[in-house]
Amino acid sequence: MGIAVNGVDIDDSAIAAELPHQAQAANPLRQAVHEVVLRTVLLQEAERLGIAGTDDDQRIEALFAQEVTVPDTDEASCLRYYQSQQQRFRSGDLVEARHILFQVTPAAPLELLRQTAELILAELQARPQRFEELARQYSNCPSGAVGGSLGQVARGQCVPEFDELLFRLQAGELAGRLLETRFGLHIVQAQRRVNGAVVPFAAVQAQIADELRRQSWQRALHQYLHILVGRADIAGVELDGAQSPLVQ
């Protein structure tokens, strides 16, 4: 059975045209199908509401602008967020860190690296004094030559996921899980912390307001897409509108 939205068949050529845009997805074909179906649902809704535009993307943006509304972010909401996320709004924090990097290569695929890295992490949890030795032996980072030491690291100096994990660790703490970044898998330890100061609320209020508006927009958009998808007669595929790159 073919794929159709409200009785309108989805042409295979539309899916083929979308496929290159989803090459990095876990399942490119499935994601391409979902994307084409969701766009069809949205364009049909724009047509029903009489929303015009010079191209399909503009019509979808105009549909969102008309149908998806979020409340303004007030100062009290920003202040509550600021008070609950104090660690995010510090300046001058430094962590003396070290890591062991297991880099993904054609000769060392991810699952094989993960097995090795898990074994090394378990060994370090049992014998933390071996960190320098194992970093020199296994790390694919130049820091391996000095026992994995990265020196003092400031916030924002590393890739976001490394930064987030590192600054959550206490002095001397070894992360209890592997960290995956675009460089590979990391075993991470914070050795010494130098705490900075909390940035005043007034200095970050606008940044917080923007973030809260974005979060509200995402929630409202996901809800709207779920409503449209649930209302549409979609044949040949099950669609979860919230997983679409359209809403990222």
Side-chain angles (χ1 to χ4, degrees):
M1 182 176 68
I3 300 170
V5 178
N6 295 321
V8 177
D9 290 336
I10 299 294
D11 193 274
D12 288 346
S13 63
I15 296 171
E18 180 62 29
L19 197 54
H21 301 295
Q22 307 302 331
Q24 300 304 313
N27 187 330
L29 178 58
R30 180 174 181 271
Q31 190 62 51
V33 169
H34 282 200
E35 194 71 4
V36 171
V37 171
L38 181 57
R39 287 177 68 86
T40 302
V41 170
L42 292 168
L43 290 170
Q44 288 181 355
E45 182 67 6
E47 182 71 22
R48 187 184 74 82
L49 296 174
I51 295 175
T54 58
D55 57 34
D56 289 348
D57 287 341
Q58 190 179 88
R59 294 179 71 199
I60 290 173
E61 289 178 8
L63 174 67
F64 289 160
Q66 176 177 306
E67 298 298 309
V68 182
T69 58
V70 295
D72 289 335
T73 302
D74 58 21
E75 183 175 345
S77 299
C78 293
L79 183 58
R80 283 195 299 272
Y81 185 85
Y82 172 79
Q83 291 171 337
S84 69
Q85 302 285 333
Q86 289 284 289
Q87 288 302 315
R88 288 194 55 195
F89 303 109
R90 301 182 65 92
S91 66
D93 284 349
L94 295 172
V95 175
E96 188 176 319
R98 59 184 179 179
H99 79 145
I100 301 174
L101 171 64
F102 301 85
Q103 188 176 27
V104 180
T105 66
L110 181 59
E111 286 311 309
L112 179 60
L113 276 184
R114 192 183 302 279
Q115 293 173 17
T116 302
E118 292 283 7
L119 289 173
I120 300 303
L121 177 59
E123 173 64 14
L124 287 173
Q125 288 170 331
R127 299 175 181 85
Q129 70 275 13
R130 296 193 64 197
F131 197 105
E132 291 188 16
E133 171 197 346
L134 294 174
R136 289 190 175 95
Q137 182 176 352
Y138 288 98
S139 185
N140 299 121
C141 177
S143 65
V146 288
S149 176
L150 296 171
Q152 287 190 335
V153 177
R155 284 186 185 275
Q157 195 172 333
C158 302
V159 292
E161 56 269 36
F162 193 100
D163 201 66
E164 181 181 354
L165 173 62
L166 179 61
F167 281 88
R168 287 207 312 265
L169 299 176
Q170 299 302 311
E173 183 179 0
L174 177 72
R177 62 176 176 84
L178 298 175
L179 174 67
E180 187 170 340
T181 73
R182 65 176 181 266
F183 300 108
L185 300 172
H186 307 252
I187 294 173
V188 183
Q189 184 180 35
Q191 294 181 279
R192 190 171 66 90
R193 295 181 61 100
V194 179
N195 292 326
V198 177
V199 177
F201 173 64
V204 293
Q205 182 178 352
Q207 172 191 336
I208 293 172
D210 286 344
E211 183 167 342
L212 293 182
R213 277 193 293 269
R214 181 184 57 79
Q215 291 175 1
S216 295
W217 165 258
Q218 290 283 358
R219 287 192 297 269
L221 184 54
H222 284 195
Q223 182 179 24
Y224 178 64
L225 291 176
H226 277 299
I227 291 170
L228 287 186
V229 168
R231 197 167 64 197
D233 179 13
I234 300 173
V237 65
E238 292 185 4
L239 185 68
D240 181 357
Q243 299 306 313
S244 170
L246 280 173
V247 304
Q248 301 306 310

